[in-house]
Amino acid sequence: MLRWLIGGGREPQGLAEKSPLQTIGEEQTQNPYTELLVLKAHHDIVRYLVQLDDSRFASAGDDGTVVVWNAQTGEKLLELNGHTQKITAIITLPCLETCEEKNQLILTASADRTVIEWDCGTGRQVQKVSCFQSTVKCLAVIQRLDVWLSGGNDLCVWNRKLDLLCQTSHLSDTGITALIEIPKNCVVAAVGKELIIFRLVAATEGSLGWDILEVKRLLDHQDNILSLVNVNDVSFVSGSHVGELIVWDTLGWTVQACERNFWDPSPQLDAQREIKLCQKPNDVSIHHLTWDEENVFVAVGRGLYVYNLPMKRVIACQKAAHDSSVLHVAKLPNRQVISCSEDGSVRIWELREKQQLSVEPAPTDVSVL
């Protein structure tokens, strides 16, 4: 079961104490997760999580602070302060093989239009870039090319010295909301309802420098795309504001599976239709995705859902994982998952042994294309 470990975060307004959460497997024997820990350190909405190594992860959000945690004990190890406004993206930056010091590095972007490189071993700022014309909404690292990307109203390519190598022209006022790497030196950028495939062209002796080429646009989503995850060498997954989850072929860029209402597996009766008409968009929005070998973990509204890729169906869910929208999920070692929310809390969940799970899958309406 999804077993819950530690508690914290902001108390819901108007309540004397936090109402108990339903255990994810309480009425669903097939559900594998239990809440383990709730961690308290932030003073505002927690939007981002990133695993640093087997024993640490970091969280960040609207208070402009990065907190480094011990994943086993829930102890706060470091607090990184340097941004003057809310943090809008966070990602790990792998160390060079030639680097003697192996402390984990991260990049953080903020609404203050800066990106800071941090040393998570010491908590110090390593470098900072402040030349952005718009807020950076997402970051990606292309380790093979030893560059990192920033996405906002345009797409930029940077080297480790934080030198700008190239950038696209202005894409849209919406900007790039998510960014992932795929094979053949390509990246996928979510821009509104579209997924845009770009190819990165590295500088060579005969070229003038780096370049970014637009290759293809994918138009299958019905609403703005909020999340992207590169699951493996053959698949990536996107999620939208109205709760669409699409599994894509990484090489052919075609749809492998499409799920449009997995947050509500009940029969579509008239009463259910009336209820769905009254649902707020944030109740079904897919804010973030992460994955393990077989499953995609989906933050939908206030809940967590587990989508099995081989079966192409939802196998577990907890519709009330947090008191407010779940904004980010990340995978930890030892079969654990962490989630953060608008309620200001960070929660750790544990996967029980597979042999304890029911063989009966959770009911869901899945459209396989």
mmCIF file of all heavy atoms in Angstrom, residues 172-199:
data_model
loop_
_atom_site.group_PDB
_atom_site.id
_atom_site.type_symbol
_atom_site.label_atom_id
_atom_site.label_comp_id
_atom_site.label_asym_id
_atom_site.label_seq_id
_atom_site.Cartn_x
_atom_site.Cartn_y
_atom_site.Cartn_z
ATOM 1 N N SER A 172 5.876 32.325 -28.228
ATOM 2 C CA SER A 172 4.499 32.726 -27.919
ATOM 3 C C SER A 172 4.485 33.415 -26.579
ATOM 4 O O SER A 172 5.429 33.312 -25.799
ATOM 5 C CB SER A 172 3.564 31.505 -27.891
ATOM 6 O OG SER A 172 3.762 30.770 -26.702
ATOM 7 N N ASP A 173 3.388 34.130 -26.300
ATOM 8 C CA ASP A 173 3.258 34.773 -24.995
ATOM 9 C C ASP A 173 3.072 33.726 -23.893
ATOM 10 O O ASP A 173 3.412 33.966 -22.742
ATOM 11 C CB ASP A 173 2.073 35.743 -25.002
ATOM 12 C CG ASP A 173 2.340 36.951 -25.885
ATOM 13 O OD1 ASP A 173 3.526 37.287 -26.067
ATOM 14 O OD2 ASP A 173 1.377 37.539 -26.409
ATOM 15 N N THR A 174 2.492 32.567 -24.262
ATOM 16 C CA THR A 174 2.346 31.477 -23.293
ATOM 17 C C THR A 174 3.706 30.962 -22.861
ATOM 18 O O THR A 174 3.942 30.675 -21.686
ATOM 19 C CB THR A 174 1.525 30.327 -23.890
ATOM 20 O OG1 THR A 174 0.275 30.810 -24.324
ATOM 21 C CG2 THR A 174 1.334 29.215 -22.871
ATOM 22 N N GLY A 175 4.617 30.848 -23.822
ATOM 23 C CA GLY A 175 5.952 30.364 -23.540
ATOM 24 C C GLY A 175 6.019 28.853 -23.443
ATOM 25 O O GLY A 175 5.023 28.142 -23.543
ATOM 26 N N ILE A 176 7.233 28.345 -23.249
ATOM 27 C CA ILE A 176 7.473 26.912 -23.115
ATOM 28 C C ILE A 176 7.207 26.524 -21.665
ATOM 29 O O ILE A 176 7.825 27.046 -20.746
ATOM 30 C CB ILE A 176 8.917 26.557 -23.499
ATOM 31 C CG1 ILE A 176 9.202 26.972 -24.948
ATOM 32 C CG2 ILE A 176 9.185 25.065 -23.313
ATOM 33 C CD1 ILE A 176 10.656 26.813 -25.357
ATOM 34 N N THR A 177 6.270 25.596 -21.463
ATOM 35 C CA THR A 177 5.902 25.188 -20.102
ATOM 36 C C THR A 177 6.605 23.911 -19.657
ATOM 37 O O THR A 177 6.648 23.623 -18.461
ATOM 38 C CB THR A 177 4.384 24.982 -20.001
ATOM 39 O OG1 THR A 177 3.957 24.074 -21.032
ATOM 40 C CG2 THR A 177 3.647 26.304 -20.182
ATOM 41 N N ALA A 178 7.141 23.122 -20.596
ATOM 42 C CA ALA A 178 7.846 21.882 -20.248
ATOM 43 C C ALA A 178 8.811 21.552 -21.369
ATOM 44 O O ALA A 178 8.583 21.915 -22.530
ATOM 45 C CB ALA A 178 6.865 20.736 -20.017
ATOM 46 N N LEU A 179 9.879 20.805 -21.028
ATOM 47 C CA LEU A 179 10.952 20.566 -21.986
ATOM 48 C C LEU A 179 11.640 19.256 -21.640
ATOM 49 O O LEU A 179 12.000 19.025 -20.483
ATOM 50 C CB LEU A 179 11.950 21.725 -21.904
ATOM 51 C CG LEU A 179 13.027 21.904 -22.959
ATOM 52 C CD1 LEU A 179 12.402 22.173 -24.326
ATOM 53 C CD2 LEU A 179 13.924 23.081 -22.565
ATOM 54 N N ILE A 180 11.817 18.364 -22.627
ATOM 55 C CA ILE A 180 12.527 17.105 -22.401
ATOM 56 C C ILE A 180 13.432 16.790 -23.586
ATOM 57 O O ILE A 180 13.210 17.274 -24.700
ATOM 58 C CB ILE A 180 11.561 15.912 -22.185
ATOM 59 C CG1 ILE A 180 10.642 15.719 -23.403
ATOM 60 C CG2 ILE A 180 10.784 16.062 -20.896
ATOM 61 C CD1 ILE A 180 9.865 14.431 -23.379
ATOM 62 N N GLU A 181 14.431 15.952 -23.340
ATOM 63 C CA GLU A 181 15.320 15.467 -24.394
ATOM 64 C C GLU A 181 14.769 14.167 -24.973
ATOM 65 O O GLU A 181 14.228 13.328 -24.251
ATOM 66 C CB GLU A 181 16.716 15.204 -23.823
ATOM 67 C CG GLU A 181 17.700 14.629 -24.826
ATOM 68 C CD GLU A 181 19.020 14.198 -24.196
ATOM 69 O OE1 GLU A 181 19.126 14.230 -22.954
ATOM 70 O OE2 GLU A 181 19.934 13.814 -24.956
ATOM 71 N N ILE A 182 14.896 13.997 -26.294
ATOM 72 C CA ILE A 182 14.603 12.730 -26.965
ATOM 73 C C ILE A 182 15.777 12.401 -27.888
ATOM 74 O O ILE A 182 16.661 13.251 -28.079
ATOM 75 C CB ILE A 182 13.261 12.778 -27.740
ATOM 76 C CG1 ILE A 182 13.268 13.901 -28.781
ATOM 77 C CG2 ILE A 182 12.090 12.933 -26.789
ATOM 78 C CD1 ILE A 182 12.031 13.900 -29.686
ATOM 79 N N PRO A 183 15.831 11.196 -28.471
ATOM 80 C CA PRO A 183 17.003 10.817 -29.277
ATOM 81 C C PRO A 183 17.243 11.716 -30.490
ATOM 82 O O PRO A 183 16.405 12.529 -30.872
ATOM 83 C CB PRO A 183 16.661 9.385 -29.701
ATOM 84 C CG PRO A 183 15.721 8.883 -28.656
ATOM 85 C CD PRO A 183 14.908 10.073 -28.260
ATOM 86 N N LYS A 184 18.409 11.533 -31.106
ATOM 87 C CA LYS A 184 18.833 12.218 -32.326
ATOM 88 C C LYS A 184 19.027 13.712 -32.112
ATOM 89 O O LYS A 184 18.714 14.540 -32.976
ATOM 90 C CB LYS A 184 17.837 11.967 -33.467
ATOM 91 C CG LYS A 184 17.671 10.495 -33.824
ATOM 92 C CD LYS A 184 16.684 10.305 -34.961
ATOM 93 C CE LYS A 184 16.531 8.831 -35.306
ATOM 94 N NZ LYS A 184 15.543 8.608 -36.392
ATOM 95 N N ASN A 185 19.554 14.078 -30.919
ATOM 96 C CA ASN A 185 19.820 15.472 -30.590
ATOM 97 C C ASN A 185 18.573 16.346 -30.674
ATOM 98 O O ASN A 185 18.651 17.539 -31.014
ATOM 99 C CB ASN A 185 20.911 16.056 -31.497
ATOM 100 C CG ASN A 185 22.283 15.482 -31.192
ATOM 101 O OD1 ASN A 185 22.462 14.798 -30.193
ATOM 102 N ND2 ASN A 185 23.242 15.752 -32.049
ATOM 103 N N CYS A 186 17.427 15.762 -30.367
ATOM 104 C CA CYS A 186 16.160 16.499 -30.414
ATOM 105 C C CYS A 186 15.626 16.753 -29.006
ATOM 106 O O CYS A 186 15.969 16.042 -28.060
ATOM 107 C CB CYS A 186 15.116 15.729 -31.217
ATOM 108 S SG CYS A 186 15.446 15.669 -33.001
ATOM 109 N N VAL A 187 14.781 17.771 -28.894
ATOM 110 C CA VAL A 187 14.068 18.060 -27.657
ATOM 111 C C VAL A 187 12.604 18.298 -27.998
ATOM 112 O O VAL A 187 12.261 18.677 -29.122
ATOM 113 C CB VAL A 187 14.645 19.290 -26.917
ATOM 114 C CG1 VAL A 187 16.063 19.012 -26.463
ATOM 115 C CG2 VAL A 187 14.574 20.540 -27.770
ATOM 116 N N VAL A 188 11.727 18.046 -27.007
ATOM 117 C CA VAL A 188 10.305 18.319 -27.148
ATOM 118 C C VAL A 188 9.959 19.478 -26.224
ATOM 119 O O VAL A 188 10.277 19.440 -25.034
ATOM 120 C CB VAL A 188 9.448 17.096 -26.778
ATOM 121 C CG1 VAL A 188 7.970 17.387 -27.038
ATOM 122 C CG2 VAL A 188 9.892 15.869 -27.564
ATOM 123 N N ALA A 189 9.318 20.512 -26.779
ATOM 124 C CA ALA A 189 8.907 21.672 -26.000
ATOM 125 C C ALA A 189 7.386 21.775 -26.023
ATOM 126 O O ALA A 189 6.771 21.695 -27.090
ATOM 127 C CB ALA A 189 9.533 22.943 -26.561
ATOM 128 N N ALA A 190 6.779 21.945 -24.852
ATOM 129 C CA ALA A 190 5.337 22.162 -24.761
ATOM 130 C C ALA A 190 5.069 23.657 -24.831
ATOM 131 O O ALA A 190 5.529 24.417 -23.975
ATOM 132 C CB ALA A 190 4.795 21.579 -23.461
ATOM 133 N N VAL A 191 4.312 24.073 -25.851
ATOM 134 C CA VAL A 191 3.973 25.483 -26.054
ATOM 135 C C VAL A 191 2.461 25.568 -26.256
ATOM 136 O O VAL A 191 1.957 25.224 -27.328
ATOM 137 C CB VAL A 191 4.718 26.091 -27.258
ATOM 138 C CG1 VAL A 191 4.372 27.570 -27.403
ATOM 139 C CG2 VAL A 191 6.220 25.895 -27.111
ATOM 140 N N GLY A 192 1.725 25.970 -25.245
ATOM 141 C CA GLY A 192 0.268 25.975 -25.337
ATOM 142 C C GLY A 192 -0.251 24.559 -25.515
ATOM 143 O O GLY A 192 0.094 23.656 -24.756
ATOM 144 N N LYS A 193 -1.070 24.336 -26.546
ATOM 145 C CA LYS A 193 -1.626 23.017 -26.831
ATOM 146 C C LYS A 193 -0.696 22.180 -27.706
ATOM 147 O O LYS A 193 -1.004 21.020 -27.990
ATOM 148 C CB LYS A 193 -2.972 23.165 -27.550
ATOM 149 C CG LYS A 193 -4.035 23.926 -26.778
ATOM 150 C CD LYS A 193 -5.305 24.067 -27.600
ATOM 151 C CE LYS A 193 -6.342 24.910 -26.876
ATOM 152 N NZ LYS A 193 -7.582 25.064 -27.683
ATOM 153 N N GLU A 194 0.414 22.750 -28.155
ATOM 154 C CA GLU A 194 1.285 22.077 -29.112
ATOM 155 C C GLU A 194 2.533 21.504 -28.453
ATOM 156 O O GLU A 194 3.033 22.041 -27.460
ATOM 157 C CB GLU A 194 1.729 23.055 -30.213
ATOM 158 C CG GLU A 194 0.605 23.644 -31.033
ATOM 159 C CD GLU A 194 1.121 24.583 -32.097
ATOM 160 O OE1 GLU A 194 2.246 25.105 -31.956
ATOM 161 O OE2 GLU A 194 0.400 24.790 -33.086
ATOM 162 N N LEU A 195 3.022 20.405 -29.023
ATOM 163 C CA LEU A 195 4.356 19.902 -28.729
ATOM 164 C C LEU A 195 5.220 20.185 -29.954
ATOM 165 O O LEU A 195 4.893 19.763 -31.071
ATOM 166 C CB LEU A 195 4.331 18.396 -28.445
ATOM 167 C CG LEU A 195 3.626 17.952 -27.161
ATOM 168 C CD1 LEU A 195 3.589 16.435 -27.084
ATOM 169 C CD2 LEU A 195 4.315 18.528 -25.931
ATOM 170 N N ILE A 196 6.308 20.924 -29.753
ATOM 171 C CA ILE A 196 7.197 21.275 -30.858
ATOM 172 C C ILE A 196 8.487 20.482 -30.723
ATOM 173 O O ILE A 196 9.129 20.501 -29.664
ATOM 174 C CB ILE A 196 7.502 22.782 -30.891
ATOM 175 C CG1 ILE A 196 6.200 23.597 -30.895
ATOM 176 C CG2 ILE A 196 8.349 23.129 -32.104
ATOM 177 C CD1 ILE A 196 6.430 25.095 -30.868
ATOM 178 N N ILE A 197 8.861 19.772 -31.799
ATOM 179 C CA ILE A 197 10.122 19.023 -31.830
ATOM 180 C C ILE A 197 11.198 19.928 -32.417
ATOM 181 O O ILE A 197 11.063 20.434 -33.538
ATOM 182 C CB ILE A 197 10.004 17.748 -32.686
ATOM 183 C CG1 ILE A 197 8.755 16.934 -32.311
ATOM 184 C CG2 ILE A 197 11.269 16.905 -32.556
ATOM 185 C CD1 ILE A 197 8.769 16.345 -30.946
ATOM 186 N N PHE A 198 12.272 20.149 -31.657
ATOM 187 C CA PHE A 198 13.420 20.918 -32.129
ATOM 188 C C PHE A 198 14.632 19.999 -32.222
ATOM 189 O O PHE A 198 14.798 19.086 -31.407
ATOM 190 C CB PHE A 198 13.759 22.067 -31.174
ATOM 191 C CG PHE A 198 12.735 23.163 -31.111
ATOM 192 C CD1 PHE A 198 11.851 23.242 -30.046
ATOM 193 C CD2 PHE A 198 12.687 24.127 -32.111
ATOM 194 C CE1 PHE A 198 10.921 24.262 -29.974
ATOM 195 C CE2 PHE A 198 11.753 25.154 -32.046
ATOM 196 C CZ PHE A 198 10.867 25.221 -30.983
ATOM 197 N N ARG A 199 15.489 20.249 -33.194
ATOM 198 C CA ARG A 199 16.769 19.541 -33.287
ATOM 199 C C ARG A 199 17.892 20.521 -32.976
ATOM 200 O O ARG A 199 17.934 21.631 -33.509
ATOM 201 C CB ARG A 199 16.966 18.933 -34.671
ATOM 202 C CG ARG A 199 18.323 18.225 -34.827
ATOM 203 C CD ARG A 199 18.428 17.412 -36.098
ATOM 204 N NE ARG A 199 17.631 16.189 -36.006
ATOM 205 C CZ ARG A 199 16.564 15.931 -36.748
ATOM 206 N NH1 ARG A 199 16.139 16.825 -37.621
ATOM 207 N NH2 ARG A 199 15.896 14.803 -36.618
#
